[in-house]
Amino acid sequence: MKNGKTPDPNTLYPIEGYENEIYVKPAVTRGNIIVGDFTYIADKDFESHVTHHYDFIGDRLIIGRFCQIAAGVEFVMNGANHQMNAVTTFPFYTLEGWNAEPPEHSDLPLKGDTIIGNDVWIGQNATILPGVHIGDGAIIGACSVVGSDVPPYTIVAGDPARELRRRFDDELTALLLEFRWWDRSIEEIDRLIPILTDSDLGRVKEQLGRMLGKG
Ligand SMILES: CC(C)(COP(=O)(O)OP(=O)(O)OC[C@H]1O[C@@H](n2cnc3c(N)ncnc32)[C@H](O)[C@@H]1OP(=O)(O)O)[C@@H](O)C(=O)NCCC(=O)NCCS
């Protein structure tokens, strides 16, 4: 491989001598965060950007492979959502001295796991709200607040994040979702780079189709 080095998903620093960008997987310590190989963040630290993440709620943050997470991105987990079906949202039970028990889970607006696909690019300072599912190949614009699901290969931006456009036509999107380049071996992905970075999408379609045995 290049300069005699092989990409290593278990190394913390993928750029020698530079500590402001890390592969996320080797940095994870919490059991309720699951991150795939080669996903990186432009930060020294990942878990401080996953907030309100409490074991007693049990929600998980699941991120696929090869995601690109910019600086300032925040994953807000379900513990952030206060009870809203009573007259106050004040969380007495979390603070010392108040005679209050935690609410039933059914009284909390829990939205489930946050699931980010593979090869998702999340722009600077974007906020991902609890329970959102973001599909493979999606792009999240800078400073977006993502409160609802994002389909694969879709660009969204804004607060609330709304679709700007689909990245590719249905045929290429379907080929990419079937091909799943991110699940292949490091050696194969390395060989595929000329195709993955080719801006002639007609040619890419042909090559993916051929590799998938579609003529
Ligand atoms: C979303 C993004 C990828 C651009 O996508 P694009 O398809 O080229 O979009 P365009 O620049 O053509 O903009 C299309 C429209 O979306 C708006 N838009 C673009 N990015 C936006 C954002 N982050 N928030 C709100 N609106 C945005 C544009 O103003 C434009 O609006 P208009 O149609 O009313 O004029 C880019 O704007 C962005 O946010 N990149 C993130 C960069 C970043 O954070 N990098 C981190 C380091 S890796």
Side-chain angles (χ1 to χ4, degrees), residues 71-142:
V73 170
E74 295 286 316
F75 297 91
V76 180
M77 303 302 289
N78 282 278
N81 280 344
H82 294 193
Q83 184 177 3
M84 292 193 287
N85 61 356
V87 296
T88 181
T89 55
F90 197 84
F92 289 103
Y93 73 97
T94 63
L95 302 165
E96 282 182 10
W98 298 103
N99 193 16
E101 294 301 319
E104 296 295 326
H105 274 197
S106 56
D107 277 331
L108 288 170
L110 301 180
K111 312 273 189 184
D113 295 337
T114 298
I115 303 178
I116 316 294
N118 304 280
D119 192 17
V120 173
W121 175 30
I122 307 183
Q124 196 150 323
N125 294 323
T127 297
I128 314 298
L129 293 176
V132 162
H133 293 196
I134 298 178
D136 297 326
I139 297 175
I140 311 300

Side-chain angles (χ1 to χ4, degrees), residues 30 41 46-53 61-63 69 72-77 114 116 122 126-130 134:
R30 295 187 211 157
I41 184 168
F46 177 73
E47 290 186 342
S48 66
H49 298 284
V50 184
T51 64
H52 308 89
H53 201 192
L61 171 61
I62 301 171
I63 303 179
I69 304 173
V73 170
E74 295 286 316
F75 297 91
V76 180
M77 303 302 289
T114 298
I116 316 294
I122 307 183
T127 297
I128 314 298
L129 293 176
I134 298 178

Side-chain angles (χ1 to χ4, degrees), residues 22-51:
I22 58 169
Y23 280 146
V24 175
K25 194 180 81 169
V28 168
T29 64
R30 295 187 211 157
N32 46 9
I33 298 178
I34 299 157
V35 181
D37 288 350
F38 300 111
T39 284
Y40 72 78
I41 184 168
D43 199 294
K44 285 185 168 58
D45 177 51
F46 177 73
E47 290 186 342
S48 66
H49 298 284
V50 184
T51 64

Side-chain angles (χ1 to χ4, degrees), residues 21 40 42 68-71 73 121-126 139-144 155-159 162-165 167:
E21 188 156 302
Y40 72 78
Q68 310 114 62
I69 304 173
V73 170
W121 175 30
I122 307 183
Q124 196 150 323
N125 294 323
I139 297 175
I140 311 300
C143 299
S144 297
I155 305 177
V156 300
D159 176 7
R162 295 286 181 241
E163 180 172 326
L164 297 185
R165 61 188 170 84
R167 293 180 60 194

